[in-house]
Amino acid sequence: CTSLLAVAIVLRFDGSLHHYQSSKGVVAASCAAAVLRNDDQCILALGGRSLSTDVPGLTSGEAEYGGLILGLDYISNAVQDQGSDALKIDELWRQEIASEDTRTASAPTLTIRGDCKTVIDHCQGFAVPRKLRPQYKKVIDLIGSIQRHVHEVLDKELQLSFEHVPREDNQLCDAMCKVITNRKREEMVSNIERGIAEAQAVAMSSTAKLPISVKKRRQFRQSAFTYPLDLVSRTDQIIISTQKRLELYKHLARAILESNDYVALRLLGEKLRSEFREMSLLFELDGLRKMELQEDAQRFERKHRHILRKYDSKLDFISAFAQSATAVPLYDDTSRAEGIMAQVNHDGCTLTKVWYEQISSGSVSIEA
C-alpha cells in the first residue's frame, strides 16, 4: 500500500435540502461525495445518501457536513481496508511512484473541495462551528484517522488542504443529490399509486351504506380513499410539481367515480380547494348531491354561483377531468442530473464504483 497512498486525492462534497412551501419543515434532504485523483481528472468513487427529514430543525449546514463525513468515512475505510466495501485500497488508488524509496517519494495529498463556505471556514479554523460542533468533531476524527494511517504506512505527513468552490464547479455531487431526491419522488408517487389501487379494491368490494339520518350523513367522512387523498395533499410542490400532483388527483378522481364512493368525491373536492379552486367546487357539489344532501348542495351552489355558472354541464366536466390523466414527467431536472451521471461513465474516466444509499433501509451498489 505504500505506493498507493502517495497520490493526490481530491474529495468533493455537497448537501441538499428541499423545504416545504407552506411550513418550515424539510420535505427532502440528501448529501453526496466524490473521491477523485489527478486534480479531478479521474473519478474513483461517487456516493450519496438520503438524510432523515424527521430530525427537528435540520439545516443545510448539517446536510453539507453529511456529504463531507460520507466521503471521509469512505476514504478512511478504504485506506485501512475496513468495512464491507468490495473495493480494496490496491484497486482504488493504484498508481506508480517515481522512486522505489518512499522517503524520497512525493508526499500524499488530500484536497477537500465544497461549495459551502461555512463548512470550509470551520475546517480551516476561520469560523467557530457552534451548533455544528458534533459534525465538525466527526470530520476532525476521520481526518485524524486518515493522517495516522498515512504516517504509519509512508512515514510521511498527509498534505491536507480545503478549498471553497462555486456551486457550478461542484456539478458532480450536486447531480448525485438530485438523483437521490428523484428517488424520493419516485417512492412518494409509487406509494400514492399503490394506495389508490388498494383503496379502489376495498371500495368496490364494500357493501357499506350511507347513514339514513341527514345529520349523520352530513358528518359522515368514512372512505377507503382517505389515505391516498391525504398522501397527495401532503406532497409539497417543491418535491412534486403542481402539474404532476394534478395528474395524481385525476387518477384519484377516476378511481373514485368507478367505485361510486360519493363520500370520497366530496373529500376530493375539499383536498383540491387550496390549489385547484374551481375544480374543487365542482367535486364538492357533486359529492353533496350524490350523498342526497340536497339542501346543502343548493346552499353550496348559491354561495359559489359566480364560479359554478361557468360550467353548463358539471357532471360532464368531472368525468372528462377524471379521464384526462396523462403521463407527466415526475421532475424537470432529470435529464441534467442523469446526464451528468451518464457522462461520468463515458468520458474516459476510470470510474471504479458508483454507490448510493436507498431512501428505505439498506444500501445498493451500482458497478460501472
Side-chain angles (χ1 to χ4, degrees), residues 31-52:
C31 64
V35 182
L36 312 98
R37 68 179 178 186
N38 299 339
D39 196 25
D40 283 359
Q41 297 303 309
C42 178
I43 303 172
L44 298 172
L46 173 65
R49 175 182 296 143
S50 174
L51 302 175
S52 173

Side-chain angles (χ1 to χ4, degrees), residues 261-330:
D261 189 331
Y262 306 139
V263 176
L265 198 63
R266 183 182 174 188
L267 294 176
L268 175 60
E270 294 176 0
K271 296 295 185 183
L272 285 166
R273 191 180 297 168
S274 62
E275 291 183 83
F276 311 102
R277 176 67 172 168
E278 293 188 7
M279 282 181 281
S280 74
L281 298 178
L282 294 172
F283 277 99
E284 284 191 72
L285 177 60
D286 194 39
L288 290 170
R289 286 175 172 171
K290 289 181 176 177
M291 290 178 69
E292 297 181 4
L293 295 169
Q294 299 305 329
E295 290 185 6
D296 296 65
Q298 289 171 7
R299 282 196 297 269
F300 188 88
E301 190 166 12
R302 284 197 300 270
K303 180 179 179 181
H304 302 287
R305 60 185 179 276
H306 60 291
I307 295 176
L308 295 173
R309 64 188 175 192
K310 293 194 300 185
Y311 300 92
D312 296 329
S313 179
K314 302 176 181 62
L315 297 182
D316 288 347
F317 175 85
I318 289 174
S319 179
F321 172 80
Q323 297 301 324
S324 65
T326 57
V328 173
L330 185 53

